[in-house]
Amino acid sequence: MLSGNKNNMGGNHPTKKTPLILAFVPIVVLTGMIIFLLSPYGQSLINTGIPLPQVTIEKVEFHENQILAFIRNTGPLEIVVSQADVNDRIQSAAIEPDSKIPRLAEAKVMIPFPWIPGTPYEIGITTSDGTRFSKSVEAAALAPSPDANQALLFTSLGVYVGVIPVMIGLMWYPYIRRISIGKYSFFLSLTAGLLVFLGIDALLEVNEIVNQNLAAVFNGQALSILVTISSFIVLLYTSERLTQRAIEKAVLNKNNHSSASSSSIEELGKSEKSSTEKQGGEIYNKSAKVSSSTQEVQIQLQRYQQLLKPLTISMMIAIGIGLHNFGEGLAIGAAMLLGEVALSTFLIVGFTLHNTTEGLAIVAPIAKIERSRRKMIRRLVTMGLIAGVPTIAGTWIGGFLYSPMAAVIFLSVGAGAIFQVVYSLISWISHHQKSGPSSSLSGHVIAGFITGLLIMYLTGLLV
């Protein structure tokens, strides 16, 4: 009977080893097709039109009596830069490393020019075939130089915009700790609303950077979607694994006897199967003891789940906000570099109000955890620094080493991290609602979510 089953199974699953070479057959065929297309014969088939040049001016900097344009050849063929102009007036220019630019390579065009601060300019680059490409700057501003004073300015800006507002938001902890369950549900869902708005805002910033500064050949929108989804999945898996590992470790440290009993359940079950007829009474008693110890372990697991899950959510919120604030710092530093932002008191106040809500998002999930005050304060300060300090690093990199590709990647990673936190937070809210008197979606949850969206929108108007 068994041999018959094996034969039947063998019809669908061959017992012979499948030759490994079969896996490479499609790759070999595809390689041959690509080689043919790149050969002169293949080129004669597909190159029936005239390839057009494409130059992307990624960044324009204003220095003392000089304008620097950073360009990239994003067309299909090598190009030669023949001239540069400012406001349609041809200017002498030097090109590094060379006027001949291979595909996807970049070059720096240095134009001696006595520019005037606050004046709009259009920088033009013309290739050898007469095609002109341009980039407009609304108001010229001196590019920051990488020195101690400028680094101190960026640090101060990052502290005022990122660190201090988050720390202010953490001060809601004593209030949320003492409110009723209904109000607590309101603040949990308000946190979800804040984070959803942050995630959408990050993707909108990415789209703006892609449209203004990133070459179309890099397909920035697709890259953003890829990075966002990948970071969401990776962080979701990581947070679940870390939470589970922390729970298991805590239970093992708390009760070694219970964990040992739970790990031997499978062996006792097997021995129970083999000796049921001989020692029925003893097995029954052992099974009862094992089942009792298993229940104790499960209770311990549930307790640690209730303790560690909110802590994990708050930590992931801090990490997600930190990644978002890093991207925000990149945007602020780049705006200063490109002369697109005037740092006024009103702007700083707007950022402070807008980012204070981020501290509230960190506080809400852990407000009801029973922990010593000293430990909780230390944990909150750590989370606040994780969320706020990346703003400083972002302003440094954005102001000194601006890269639109880096901005797209980091903002997308931040968006994915935020959406992962929203997913975990909604799951936690759903569990919290089911364990309460009502399992349906409450008015507190709906009101909190909408309020969170409105708060982020209204404070965003001040930035």
Side-chain angles (χ1 to χ4, degrees):
M1 192 71 183
L2 287 173
S3 61
N5 289 337
K6 284 182 180 177
N7 290 333
N8 290 335
M9 290 174 65
N12 295 327
H13 304 282
T15 55
K16 293 183 179 179
K17 270 191 173 181
T18 304
L20 186 60
I21 192 173
L22 294 179
F24 291 95
V25 169
I27 298 175
V28 171
V29 174
L30 178 62
T31 303
M33 187 183 72
I34 292 175
I35 292 173
F36 172 76
L37 290 175
L38 295 176
S39 68
Y41 298 102
Q43 292 292 309
S44 63
L45 290 175
I46 60 178
N47 288 338
T48 55
I50 300 175
L52 298 176
Q54 182 65 42
V55 173
T56 301
I57 304 176
E58 294 184 338
K59 181 172 62 172
V60 176
E61 293 182 5
F62 292 87
H63 296 267
E64 291 291 340
N65 295 320
Q66 188 181 54
I67 300 176
L68 300 182
F70 296 84
I71 65 175
R72 187 182 297 275
N73 175 15
T74 52
L77 300 175
E78 180 183 79
I79 63 166
V80 177
V81 177
S82 59
Q83 65 184 32
D85 66 83
V86 178
N87 292 343
D88 283 330
R89 294 184 178 179
I90 298 175
Q91 306 290 334
S92 60
I95 304 171
E96 292 183 353
D98 191 16
S99 59
K100 293 182 179 180
I101 308 175
R103 184 175 187 268
L104 297 181
E106 58 181 347
K108 180 169 65 173
V109 181
M110 297 170 287
I111 308 171
F113 187 82
W115 56 275
I116 302 172
T119 304
Y121 290 99
E122 183 183 85
I123 312 303
I125 302 295
T126 303
T127 58
S128 57
D129 66 347
T131 307
R132 181 178 181 271
F133 304 91
S134 65
K135 185 177 181 66
S136 298
V137 177
E138 294 180 0
L142 184 64
S145 56
D147 53 29
N149 291 332
Q150 196 64 44
L152 181 61
L153 173 62
F154 283 139
T155 301
S156 302
L157 183 61
V159 169
Y160 275 103
V161 169
V163 179
I164 293 178
V166 174
M167 292 299 182
I168 292 173
L170 298 179
M171 294 180 183
W172 267 299
Y173 174 75
Y175 170 73
I176 299 178
R177 185 176 175 84
R178 291 172 173 82
I179 59 178
S180 63
I181 295 298
K183 292 179 181 177
Y184 181 59
S185 298
F186 172 85
F187 277 102
L188 281 177
S189 57
L190 182 141
T191 297
L194 298 175
L195 294 173
V196 167
F197 191 96
L198 271 180
I200 295 173
D201 182 60
L203 293 179
L204 292 177
E205 287 184 33
V206 167
N207 189 60
E208 185 177 353
I209 293 172
V210 168
N211 291 332
Q212 293 181 359
N213 298 311
L214 194 65
V217 69
F218 295 114
N219 202 352
Q221 283 88 353
L223 175 65
S224 174
I225 293 172
L226 171 66
V227 174
T228 300
I229 295 175
S230 299
S231 63
F232 174 87
I233 295 172
V234 170
L235 289 171
L236 180 63
Y237 172 79
T238 303
S239 65
E240 292 296 329
R241 290 285 297 171
L242 289 177
T243 303
Q244 189 62 32
R245 187 173 295 177
I247 291 173
E248 292 172 358
K249 185 178 179 181
V251 171
L252 286 172
N253 292 337
K254 185 75 176 178
N255 196 338
N256 291 327
H257 177 70
S258 297
S259 65
S261 300
S262 64
S263 65
S264 61
I265 291 175
E266 187 177 349
E267 295 177 6
L268 286 173
K270 289 179 180 177
S271 65
E272 180 182 355
K273 232 177 187 180
S274 62
S275 59
T276 302
E277 295 180 358
K278 296 180 181 179
Q279 299 174 347
E282 292 181 19
I283 295 293
Y284 178 79
N285 292 333
K286 286 182 181 178
S287 299
K289 288 179 182 178
V290 169
S291 120
S292 170
S293 63
T294 304
Q295 288 178 358
E296 292 178 5
V297 172
Q298 289 176 347
I299 292 172
Q300 291 283 357
L301 285 172
Q302 289 176 357
R303 288 177 181 173
Y304 283 110
Q305 179 80 8
Q306 293 173 357
L307 176 66
L308 292 175
K309 187 67 174 178
L311 287 172
T312 304
I313 291 175
S314 287
M315 181 57 73
M316 296 305 294
I317 288 175
I319 293 172
I321 289 175
L323 290 170
H324 176 269
N325 284 344
F326 182 82
E328 194 173 77
L330 285 175
I332 294 171
M336 291 183 64
L337 174 66
L338 304 177
E340 296 176 354
V341 63
L343 294 179
S344 63
T345 303
F346 183 77
L347 182 66
I348 299 298
V349 170
F351 268 117
T352 301
L353 290 174
H354 187 68
N355 292 346
T356 298
T357 55
E358 297 173 352
L360 174 61
I362 296 171
V363 162
I366 57 175
K368 292 295 184 180
I369 293 178
E370 294 297 331
R371 278 262 175 165
S372 67
R373 184 174 300 178
R374 183 175 298 177
K375 281 186 177 181
M376 188 55 70
I377 291 175
R378 187 166 62 246
R379 194 178 294 272
L380 286 173
V381 171
T382 302
M383 292 180 183
L385 293 175
I386 290 173
V389 169
T391 311
I392 301 173
T395 56
W396 286 348
I397 297 174
F400 297 139
L401 302 169
Y402 175 68
S403 167
M405 181 69 75
V408 167
I409 291 174
F410 278 106
L411 283 169
S412 300
V413 169
I418 287 171
F419 289 134
Q420 181 272 325
V421 172
V422 170
Y423 173 83
S424 300
L425 191 59
I426 290 175
S427 300
W428 180 252
I429 293 173
S430 176
H431 172 75
H432 180 74
Q433 287 291 111
K434 288 179 181 178
S435 63
S438 173
S439 61
S440 60
L441 196 63
S442 68
H444 291 98
V445 173
I446 296 173
F449 187 81
I450 295 175
T451 303
L453 294 174
L454 286 174
I455 287 174
M456 293 302 288
Y457 172 75
L458 293 175
T459 55
L461 293 177
L462 300 175
V463 177

